[in-house]
């Protein structure tokens, strides 16, 4: 994803995103391997983003995360881009994003949810199944065989928990998934802010 030789090491920490309504916590499982919460290595970028890396005998996982400016005013957004590089055939790629202790008001979207109180609104979202199929057919972010391997229920929503149950990745291939967390004091701005162009956000984070 990036040349780590030109980056500065920073202290590893979990990918959790702190929002006004609590932490959004991530969990990842790849080919039966439950990825630890803290990465093996972390580097800082000039943009303020960080690159986190985990290594396993069958896979390398890189996660680039940071804050970018959404088009909506008064909205803060942080995006995590997960990139799996398969060293051996992988049976699955699962990413979960969950808002810890959410309020009662949680509204569902397409590959997203929005939780709100009188004081703040938080949205969490990523690609829906059809978007992942489109990326696969276009040869972007996902291997070409995902276009037919992705089930209709690849993206599951349970309250304030989103789970991407993605297919396997063949040896030497890579796959990417992105999840955005956005929040504001009030209004519906955050819901639109999590619908991102991953290539554009990647460029912003790596500038």
């Amino acid at each position: 994803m990036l040349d780590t030789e030109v980056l500065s090491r920073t202290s590893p920490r979990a990918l959790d995103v702190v929002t006004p309504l609590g932490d959004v916590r991530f969990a990842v499982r790849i080919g039966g391997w439950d990825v630890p919460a803290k990465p093996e290595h972390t580097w800082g970028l000039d943009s303020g983003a960080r690159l986190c890396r985990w290594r396993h005998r069958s896979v390398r996982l890189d996660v680039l995360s940071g804050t970018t400016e959404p088009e909506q005013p008064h909205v803060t957004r942080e995006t995590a881009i997960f990139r799996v590089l398969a060293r051996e055939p992988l049976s699955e790629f699962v990413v979960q994003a969950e808002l810890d202790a959410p309020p009662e008001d949680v509204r569902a979207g397409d590959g997203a949810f929005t939780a709100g109180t009188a004081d703040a609104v938080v949205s969490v979202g990523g690609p829906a199944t059809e978007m992942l199929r489109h990326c696969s057919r276009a040869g972007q972010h996902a291997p070409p065989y995902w276009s037919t391997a992705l089930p209709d229920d690849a993206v599951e929503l349970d309250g304030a928990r989103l789970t991407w149950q993605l297919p396997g990745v063949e040896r030497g291939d890579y796959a990417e998934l992105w999840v955005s967390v956005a929040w504001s004091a009030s209004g519906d701005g955050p819901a639109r802010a999590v619908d991102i162009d991953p290539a554009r956000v990647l460029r912003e984070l790596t500038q």
Side-chain angles (χ1 to χ4, degrees), residues 13-156:
R13 63 179 177 85
L15 295 173
D16 299 352
V17 177
V18 180
T19 82
L21 299 184
D23 292 355
V24 174
R25 306 186 187 278
F26 293 96
V28 183
R29 187 174 67 253
I30 305 171
W33 175 48
D34 291 320
V35 179
K38 286 188 177 182
E40 185 178 347
H41 300 293
T42 304
W43 295 268
L45 282 71
D46 291 341
S47 65
R50 58 187 172 128
L51 173 64
C52 300
R53 176 167 294 169
W54 292 257
R55 293 182 298 185
H56 187 265
R57 66 177 184 277
S58 60
V59 63
R60 190 183 84 187
L61 171 65
D62 284 350
V63 181
L64 181 66
S65 65
T67 301
T68 56
E69 193 72 26
E71 295 179 357
Q72 296 75 18
H74 313 299
V75 174
T76 301
R77 179 180 65 203
E78 184 165 335
T79 299
I81 301 174
F82 298 78
R83 189 177 198 270
V84 162
L85 177 61
R87 293 171 170 166
E88 298 176 2
L90 304 173
S91 60
E92 61 178 352
F93 175 26
V94 182
V95 175
Q96 187 176 91
E98 182 174 12
L99 178 62
D100 189 36
E104 292 185 5
D105 181 14
V106 179
R107 301 183 298 277
D110 192 13
F113 68 83
T114 297
T117 67
D119 300 318
V121 181
V122 174
S123 293
V124 180
T129 303
E130 280 308 311
M131 171 59 75
L132 290 168
R133 286 183 178 138
H134 171 76
C135 290
S136 176
R137 289 191 294 265
Q140 299 174 328
H141 309 295
Y145 40 85
W146 274 22
S147 62
T148 55
L150 277 162
D152 292 338
D153 60 352
V155 186
E156 300 177 359

Side-chain angles (χ1 to χ4, degrees), residues 136-196:
S136 176
R137 289 191 294 265
Q140 299 174 328
H141 309 295
Y145 40 85
W146 274 22
S147 62
T148 55
L150 277 162
D152 292 338
D153 60 352
V155 186
E156 300 177 359
L157 177 61
D158 182 7
R161 182 173 65 240
L162 272 166
T163 305
W164 285 265
Q165 297 272 358
L166 305 176
V169 182
E170 295 299 322
R171 180 180 179 181
D173 287 345
Y174 78 92
E176 292 178 338
L177 180 80
W178 54 95
V179 183
S180 290
V181 181
W183 61 92
S184 66
S186 61
D188 61 354
R192 291 178 290 131
V194 299
D195 184 13
I196 68 163

